[in-house]
Amino acid sequence: MSTLTDLTILIAGATSPAGVAAARALCDAGATVLAAGSNADRLAERLPFVHGRYEVDLANHAAVTELHQLIDTERGRIDGLLHLVGGWRGGKGLAGQSDDDADFLHTQIVTTLRNTTRVFHDDLLASPRGRVAIVSATAVDAPSGSNANYTTAKAGAEAWMRSVAAAMNSAQSGNKTAPEPQRAAAVRWVIKAFSDEATRAAHPERNVAGFTDVEALGAAAVSLFTTDAATLNGARITLPVL
């Protein structure tokens, strides 16, 4: 299958099993896949098959700007951004939601998203198939006191993505002075949690009911670039479960 041969796609936070699955599916579909993360050794070990690997602090706006300049020099404009940077920290009830955990989650989930989407926004608007996507959580719809820090960060990321979608609409099909066909789209994928075959085999006792296999993210990543932008922009899509 080679449906994405003209596209360059950056995966931010690519070294998780979900990131590896998405990268592999996009490579198999013919895309030029670039991976960005905080640890060069993990990038090299887990993603030897991608076309470019970049160690970068995605929470640092200046560093992300330098990354954009480097990619632009080496590869040109990107067409897609998958933001898979995340993390999880719980707590014992509402009173157990620590400031350290709140700061960590906001930095990982929101700050990195704000940086990458701002820096690469013009690239995505210029692309014939510009796409940006995040993975959100069903916990946003059913928060508890014990995961308040986490759901707040995820809800913030979703709100930011709705703003990205609005900006893409205003720049293209919703432009009041010179409307044009919608080419760019911002999408939120929603899961309970990810699971992968190796982890299930190693821990068969774990309950993974309602989880999403990482391979489903790979399929969704390819579909992201083969579905009409006008249909996708602003969409909140629940991924299949096991």
Side-chain angles (χ1 to χ4, degrees), residues 138 190-196 199-200 206-214 216 239-242:
T138 56
V190 183
I191 64 164
K192 178 180 180 180
F194 278 124
S195 178
D196 62 90
T199 300
R200 293 195 299 274
R206 292 182 181 174
N207 181 7
V208 294
F211 284 26
T212 293
D213 192 280
V214 294
L239 295 185
V241 300
L242 290 169

Side-chain angles (χ1 to χ4, degrees), residues 21-224:
R24 193 176 298 281
L26 290 167
C27 284
D28 289 346
T32 297
V33 177
L34 312 177
S38 61
N39 186 289
D41 291 339
R42 282 199 301 269
L43 286 164
E45 176 185 357
R46 300 176 188 178
L47 295 148
F49 54 88
V50 300
H51 302 85
R53 294 180 294 273
Y54 303 90
E55 183 180 43
V56 59
D57 178 6
L58 295 169
N60 183 306
H61 185 267
V64 177
T65 300
E66 290 179 5
L67 172 66
H68 175 263
Q69 293 168 346
L70 179 59
I71 291 175
D72 189 60
T73 299
E74 293 181 348
R75 303 284 178 176
R77 182 198 66 225
I78 70 164
D79 302 281
L81 170 64
L82 302 188
H83 183 273
L84 305 181
V85 186
W88 184 86
R89 290 188 181 182
K92 296 181 179 179
L94 192 66
Q97 304 298 295
S98 75
D99 291 346
D100 286 345
D101 287 348
D103 290 345
F104 168 82
L105 291 167
H106 186 273
T107 298
Q108 290 293 105
I109 295 171
V110 180
T111 301
T112 60
L113 177 63
R114 291 180 66 251
N115 287 343
T116 53
T117 50
R118 286 183 293 159
V119 168
F120 288 97
H121 182 65
D122 288 346
D123 280 26
L124 301 178
L125 287 179
S127 170
R129 286 190 277 176
R131 301 289 188 273
V132 55
I134 65 168
V135 175
S136 188
T138 56
V140 171
D141 303 313
S144 69
S146 294
N147 66 7
N149 280 335
Y150 176 74
T151 53
T152 297
K154 283 292 189 181
E158 287 210 34
W160 182 265
M161 285 294 284
R162 291 175 65 187
S163 294
V164 174
M168 288 176 163
N169 176 265
S170 295
Q172 296 177 349
S173 61
N175 188 298
K176 294 181 179 179
T177 58
E180 56 188 80
Q182 192 68 37
R183 301 184 309 274
V187 172
R188 293 159 288 155
W189 291 314
V190 183
I191 64 164
K192 178 180 180 180
F194 278 124
S195 178
D196 62 90
E197 186 176 359
T199 300
R200 293 195 299 274
H203 301 281
E205 76 285 355
R206 292 182 181 174
N207 181 7
V208 294
F211 284 26
T212 293
D213 192 280
V214 294
E215 299 301 324
L217 180 67
V222 174
S223 179
L224 186 69

